[in-house]
Amino acid sequence: MKRRLPTALASLVFRDFRLIWSSQFISSVGTQVQTVALGWLVYDITGSAALLGGIALARAIPTIFLSLFGGILADQVDRRRLLLISQSTLALFSALLAVAIQIGRTDVWLLYLFAILTAAMSAVSVPTTQAFIPALVDRERLTNALTLNVLSSNFAAVLGPALGGMIIGVLGVAAAYWLDAASFFVVVGALFAMRSRQLPDPLPRRGFGALVDGLTFVRERPVLWQLMLIDFLAVLFASRFGLLPVFAESILDVGAQGLGLLYSAVSFGAVIGSLLFTFLPQPKRPGKLIALTIVVYGCVLAAFGQAHSFALALALLAISGGLDAVSSALRSIARQLATPDSLRGRVGALSTVFSIGGPRLGDFQAGMVASVIGARGAMLIGGVACALMALASHRWARPLWAYHGEELSPNSSAAPPTPRGLEGSRSR
């Protein structure tokens, strides 16, 4: 008999979801620690904003080219087994880099190789996890499960960077990678303890045909691809994380621990934003709210780039995190509710290309621009470009602005039926 829980925690009544949710939180903390360590190590060794941005590009390329392949796998094989393999492999990569750092092998090429390999394996792991979670709860609890998942990720992103800065400052960079490796094995243990052994239904087509089916599904629902595209463009123009090591060491002069706090400020704001989202009523036009939120998000990041006070910089980053959390939760819920289980891996993979590839490409472009005009100028230009793009989406993404939050049907533009000017509209 399932015990009763508060409404905000209702999905935790499902044992297998509790296992994956709690273990993923620990793993996310480890990943955040590793991210801080990698950025700090690259910039500490090279002193180059361009090479720091290059790490983001090294991660973006495998994400973009392999995520769709990972999504096809997630829709064809046992998702639990696929996660066991991917999480174990990621643990091995982190452990090997920790050993290399301890024996003094901190060559830049090795750090780039690590970034490429972990991004390639994450291209399988991320869409598989996204497809796996909805099968662990009832459909009535899916929205709650997804909201808790976003909240957990944001809490981890608050704790992880601050912890990473402390570990680097006290124990050294290698310790950060040992912690990351251990965190992956927590997920492996949870997966072994799970009772769910659900296999995806056989696909009518496999390989390239299955990929085409997933792309067609998204193309026929303009709101879905517009959600992905506006998110991609926002983080492509306005990178939050790519230049933080530069700001910490060369502009604000706060060191490794200050860098951890800068990362954590974004996630602290995201936690507050996620909590507020759980108490707010469903907006009548979530697509319009997402676009307007991105406008403010771009303006806030432009202001952060000009901040001379560490406290003001932290506050602005926190605000940007809160704004992003609200739009992220709305995008995730709309996408999952609109997608049948047989397509969740592929649609989740396509979303991953945008949501993970975008920030990494954004970090790369920020590093390139900063190498020419400085970090402050890069943040200003990127933030303004982000805000202008979101405002312009009123023209190129009209179905998104008109979306009322309903479940999407095939060939639906998600526009309300009454305004004739929006019927059957396509932005491209």
Side-chain angles (χ1 to χ4, degrees):
M1 180 177 178
K2 295 184 174 69
R3 59 184 181 274
R4 296 181 63 84
L5 288 173
T7 303
L9 304 175
S11 56
L12 294 180
V13 74
F14 298 95
R15 175 183 178 274
D16 284 352
F17 176 71
R18 287 199 308 273
L19 286 170
I20 196 70
W21 180 75
S22 57
S23 63
Q24 283 287 346
F25 169 75
I26 295 173
S27 179
S28 295
V29 171
T31 299
Q32 293 292 334
V33 169
Q34 177 248 102
T35 298
V36 173
L38 186 61
W40 177 261
L41 191 57
V42 170
Y43 192 67
D44 186 57
I45 292 172
T46 67
S48 169
L51 288 176
L52 181 61
I55 282 288
L57 181 62
R59 286 178 156 181
I61 292 174
T63 300
I64 292 170
F65 287 100
L66 297 179
S67 287
L68 292 177
F69 171 73
I72 294 173
L73 279 179
D75 284 338
Q76 291 182 343
V77 304
D78 184 342
R79 291 165 181 165
R80 174 180 165 274
R81 182 174 298 175
L82 193 56
L83 282 174
L84 282 170
I85 295 171
S86 61
Q87 296 295 297
S88 299
T89 305
L90 285 166
L92 176 63
F93 289 157
S94 288
L96 288 175
L97 185 57
V99 171
I101 292 171
Q102 286 187 323
I103 64 176
R105 293 299 303 272
T106 54
D107 301 321
V108 174
W109 71 263
L110 183 62
L111 301 180
Y112 270 72
L113 179 62
F114 173 80
I116 292 169
L117 292 176
T118 54
M121 191 53 58
S122 294
V124 175
S125 177
V126 171
T128 303
T129 302
Q130 292 177 351
F132 191 50
I133 288 176
L136 303 179
V137 299
D138 293 341
R139 184 172 178 82
E140 310 86 71
R141 305 297 186 192
L142 179 56
T143 296
N144 177 252
L146 294 173
T147 302
L148 285 179
N149 209 46
V150 171
L151 187 60
S152 171
S153 176
N154 288 332
F155 267 117
V158 171
L159 177 61
L163 181 61
M166 292 176 60
I167 289 174
I168 294 169
V170 177
L171 300 176
V173 178
Y177 288 98
W178 283 120
L179 176 64
D180 185 41
S183 73
F184 285 117
F185 282 116
V186 175
V187 180
V188 171
L191 290 167
F192 273 117
M194 292 176 66
R195 297 168 184 162
S196 175
R197 297 293 186 273
Q198 293 183 347
L199 295 173
D201 295 329
L203 298 181
R205 296 200 292 172
R206 302 175 71 86
F208 183 74
L211 173 60
V212 171
D213 289 342
L215 294 174
T216 300
F217 178 84
V218 173
R219 179 180 61 82
E220 292 179 348
R221 292 154 180 81
V223 168
L224 283 180
W225 65 257
Q226 288 168 4
L227 282 170
M228 296 178 191
L229 183 58
I230 196 172
D231 176 44
F232 174 82
L233 292 175
V235 292
L236 175 65
F237 291 139
S239 165
R240 291 181 297 174
F241 296 120
L243 296 177
L244 289 189
V246 181
F247 275 88
E249 187 165 334
S250 303
I251 296 177
L252 299 173
D253 193 25
V254 291
Q257 294 188 15
L259 174 62
L261 291 176
L262 289 173
Y263 279 109
S264 292
V266 175
S267 303
F268 175 77
V271 169
I272 301 302
S274 299
L275 288 172
L276 290 175
F277 180 77
T278 62
F279 293 104
L280 293 175
Q282 175 70 31
K284 293 182 179 180
R285 290 193 176 184
K288 179 180 179 180
L289 179 60
I290 289 170
L292 293 177
T293 299
I294 291 174
V295 172
V296 182
Y297 167 86
C299 294
V300 168
L301 287 183
F304 160 74
Q306 312 315 304
H308 291 272
S309 161
F310 183 52
L312 178 59
L314 290 174
L316 291 169
L317 286 176
I319 293 171
S320 76
L323 293 168
D324 185 55
V326 172
S327 64
S328 176
L330 288 169
R331 292 193 309 269
S332 177
I333 290 168
R335 175 172 54 82
Q336 292 282 21
L337 288 176
T339 308
D341 185 69
S342 62
L343 283 157
R344 280 200 173 108
R346 282 162 287 175
V347 175
L350 184 59
S351 177
T352 298
V353 171
F354 284 84
S355 64
I356 296 182
R360 290 174 180 172
L361 288 175
D363 291 347
F364 172 69
Q365 71 81 16
M368 295 299 102
V369 175
S371 68
V372 177
I373 64 173
R376 290 192 184 278
M379 289 299 300
L380 177 62
I381 292 174
V384 171
C386 171
L388 292 176
M389 176 279 302
L391 283 174
S393 70
H394 184 262
R395 300 286 298 176
W396 61 262
R398 290 183 178 178
L400 176 63
W401 281 67
Y403 178 50
H404 279 69
E406 68 274 16
E407 185 168 339
L408 305 181
S409 58
N411 301 310
S412 169
S413 68
T418 49
R420 295 182 180 178
L422 295 179
E423 290 179 359
S425 64
R426 295 287 189 274
S427 63
R428 64 179 182 183

